[in-house]
Amino acid sequence: MSITVIVGAQWGDEGKGKITDMLAAEADIVARYGGGDNAGHTVTVGAERFALHLIPSGILYPQVVCLLGGGMVVNPKKLLSEMDELAARGVEVSPARLKLDGRAHLIMPYHIALDGAAEAARGSAAIGTTRRGIGPAYADKSARSGIRAQEMLSPPETFAQRIREQVAAKNTLLQQVYGQPPLDAEAIVAEYLTFAQRLAPYVADVSEVIAQSLRRRKRILAEGAQGTLLDLDLGSYPYVTSSYPTIGGAIIGLGVGPQHIDRVIGVVKAYQTRVGAGPMPTELTGELAATLRGTGTQPWDEFGTTTGRPRRCGWLDGVSVRYAVQVNGLTEIALTKLDVLSRFEALQVCVAYELDGERIETFPTDSTLLARCRPIYETLPGWQVEITQARTFDELPEAARQYVSFVEELSGVPVSCISVGPEREQTIRR
Ligand code: GDP
Ligand code: IMO
Ligand code: MG
């Protein structure tokens, strides 16, 4: 048993990148299992910041081999530019270090056009997607018409023909349903043939790579993208992404058996954020929200890594944390951004919801019910001193220790790691 899975426990942006990077120091393999470049994972190393969208946050350690799992949808143009950017900054991204599962689906220009067109058509009911083509790419996968990474290994004419067929079908949709201009199939073919040539050496069988590594007793870290509440089935549908950020997504997305997984770490931000539309019971407005969000002057202020959108902010939602423990079988929690709470005199944590006059302690399966839930808070004392220098639990002020213990009681799982800043060392491990 030597796979550790890192799962986002909220609505994404919990700090998975930082936690993955930290644990990657002790890993041989780091694998992303789902999503695409809708993800934005920030890793800070000294004065350097890396915003990773597709490549696992383990790439900065030379001993680590990085895998892009079959559960992902990959925009080859974005992957290549991320690889080039890393290479320009001195990070090796050879096929020995980076492997793309042949089963992963390719994001095509028509997916991006359709994402935008569908969002516009939804009007006020828009999901607020990242417009990276994620939903349409997963829709094609389910419809069994998607183009997979391994098709880049086909003879060029076969690959070109697949693209032509798909562009023709999607142009009908774009023009006749959405009133959009058609895309130029030959331009896409030419572009994707070049991508295929560059990416072909990276295409591999990730399930097999992991199986062999397990036999050699290698340590494997699986990095989730997005978060539990954005899961296509388990999240706040329809305000979700189109993949499975939860533990099940790791098993399918990497092609591994569950018996190999010994730790499931839920990354929980010390408060709640959400980008995009959909219900969020603990959302704050006004001064409190602005204080949580920050002004955008600090890199960790709550503005999207991928889209730059201001994130909606609120107090920690304990109901949703318990739900994340349940659906993922979390064995522990990594609590991030505790330092941000130093700004407040008093803190609130949602312990239950009030729904139509009744107290409920479970996360509703229906978003329209979730939208009617009002948070029931418990108030905890703030600490209002810098904690970014703390390196042991005992160095934290009493009120901060109390907050951590409260999260443990609420969730029923230990907080094994507390993050007090974006840097690798700004971490307390217990
Ligand atoms: P991810 O998508 O889950 O990887 O999270 P993001 O990278 O989108 O957003 C988290 C942001 O918070 C990044 O800018 C991180 O560098 C930063 N961050 C992570 N942990 C901490 C922490 O404990 N304190 C502070 N202040 N920033 C943190
Ligand atoms: P990381 O990995 C936060 C949100 C979008 C939108 C919804 C659907 O950085 O935590 P999509 O483009 O996926 O179809 O959009 O999901 N979303 C994220 N929110 N962090 C992310 O990734 C997200 N990836 C998608 O804002 O509400
Ligand atoms: Mg992010």
Side-chain angles (χ1 to χ4, degrees):
M1 299 223 290
S2 49
I3 303 181
T4 296
V5 181
I6 294 177
V7 173
Q10 294 154 309
W11 272 294
D13 301 327
E14 298 91 349
K16 297 175 294 293
K18 155 155 181 175
I19 300 298
T20 304
D21 167 76
M22 184 192 85
L23 294 176
E26 299 143 25
D28 303 299
I29 288 184
V30 180
R32 264 276 302 269
Y33 59 81
D37 64 312
N38 48 348
H41 298 178
T42 317
V43 177
T44 308
V45 188
E48 286 217 84
R49 284 193 342 116
F50 296 84
L52 299 161
H53 300 280
L54 288 165
I55 296 179
S57 308
I59 195 76
L60 304 180
Y61 294 93
Q63 92 283 359
V64 169
V65 172
C66 285
L67 309 176
L68 278 70
M72 292 184 71
V73 286
V74 175
N75 180 331
K77 187 178 194 166
K78 291 290 178 62
L79 177 58
L80 285 164
S81 68
E82 207 165 300
M83 286 161 59
D84 290 344
E85 212 177 294
L86 284 168
R89 293 172 76 174
V91 180
E92 191 206 318
V93 281
S94 66
R97 283 207 68 204
L98 184 70
K99 296 176 195 299
L100 165 63
D101 195 272
R103 304 170 183 90
H105 280 249
L106 296 183
I107 292 190
M108 308 293 294
Y110 48 77
H111 293 134
I112 295 166
L114 286 168
D115 196 356
E119 276 289 88
R122 286 183 195 109
S124 64
I127 293 164
T129 74
T130 59
R131 298 186 179 232
R132 297 299 191 271
I134 306 295
Y138 279 113
D140 270 2
K141 163 165 147 170
S142 292
R144 293 159 291 183
S145 57
I147 300 179
R148 305 213 288 182
Q150 62 201 22
E151 296 186 54
M152 295 192 292
L153 307 178
S154 314
E157 195 40 45
T158 311
F159 186 49
Q161 206 42 40
R162 279 277 284 136
I163 296 173
R164 283 188 195 108
E165 278 163 26
Q166 284 303 308
V167 176
K170 296 310 188 303
N171 275 345
T172 310
L173 253 179
L174 280 169
Q175 289 173 280
Q176 296 184 10
V177 176
Y178 295 111
Q180 298 282 320
L183 299 174
D184 177 351
E186 290 317 310
I188 298 174
V189 165
E191 200 182 25
Y192 273 68
L193 284 176
T194 329
F195 298 154
Q197 223 171 16
R198 274 198 68 191
L199 286 174
Y202 294 86
V203 176
D205 178 346
V206 159
S207 171
E208 187 57 34
V209 171
I210 293 179
Q212 286 176 11
S213 307
L214 284 169
R215 286 196 284 276
R216 293 188 196 122
R217 305 199 160 274
K218 301 277 187 200
R219 296 155 303 172
I220 298 162
L221 193 59
E223 175 184 24
Q226 289 75 52
T228 299
L229 307 178
L230 288 170
D231 187 278
L232 180 59
D233 282 341
L234 296 165
S236 49
Y237 191 88
Y239 300 100
V240 292
T241 189
S242 298
S243 63
Y244 303 104
T246 50
I247 187 69
I251 291 168
I252 299 183
L254 297 177
V256 295
Q259 77 277 19
H260 297 296
I261 297 172
D262 53 359
R263 294 171 74 190
V264 187
I265 306 176
V267 185
V268 174
K269 186 157 22 184
Y271 48 97
Q272 209 81 5
T273 63
R274 174 164 210 177
V275 256
M280 176 178 170
T282 63
E283 182 170 17
L284 294 168
T285 51
E287 208 179 304
L288 285 172
T291 307
L292 274 174
R293 184 177 302 115
T295 52
T297 49
Q298 298 296 343
W300 57 83
D301 285 349
E302 296 294 348
F303 295 83
T305 311
T306 298
T307 57
R309 293 180 287 179
R311 296 174 181 151
R312 299 156 66 193
C313 294
W315 298 121
L316 182 64
D317 184 343
V319 180
S320 76
V321 173
R322 272 197 304 264
Y323 179 68
V325 171
Q326 173 184 313
V327 301
N328 293 299
L330 299 183
T331 58
E332 58 203 273
I333 282 173
L335 189 66
T336 61
K337 300 187 98 164
L338 191 65
D339 54 302
V340 171
L341 294 185
S342 304
R343 301 169 190 166
F344 298 90
E345 205 180 307
L347 305 166
Q348 297 199 286
V349 177
C350 169
V351 294
Y353 298 146
E354 188 196 308
L355 175 61
D356 303 335
E358 264 188 65
R359 181 185 168 104
I360 60 164
E361 295 192 352
T362 52
F363 193 76
T365 60
D366 180 345
S367 273
T368 60
L369 294 185
L370 185 64
R372 292 215 300 275
C373 286
R374 300 288 160 257
I376 298 174
Y377 287 121
E378 271 194 35
T379 304
L380 281 88
W383 46 91
Q384 292 194 290
V385 290
E386 272 282 311
I387 58 167
T388 53
Q389 305 302 324
R391 297 294 176 268
T392 64
F393 192 60
D394 293 337
E395 282 167 37
L396 287 174
E398 163 68 22
R401 293 202 303 265
Q402 199 183 327
Y403 193 85
V404 174
S405 303
F406 193 81
V407 172
E408 291 185 319
E409 274 163 43
L410 194 72
S411 62
V413 293
V415 171
S416 60
C417 163
I418 303 157
S419 176
V420 293
E423 295 273 351
R424 280 175 180 166
E425 340 39 276
Q426 291 179 306
T427 313
I428 297 169
R429 293 179 75 176
R430 297 163 84 203

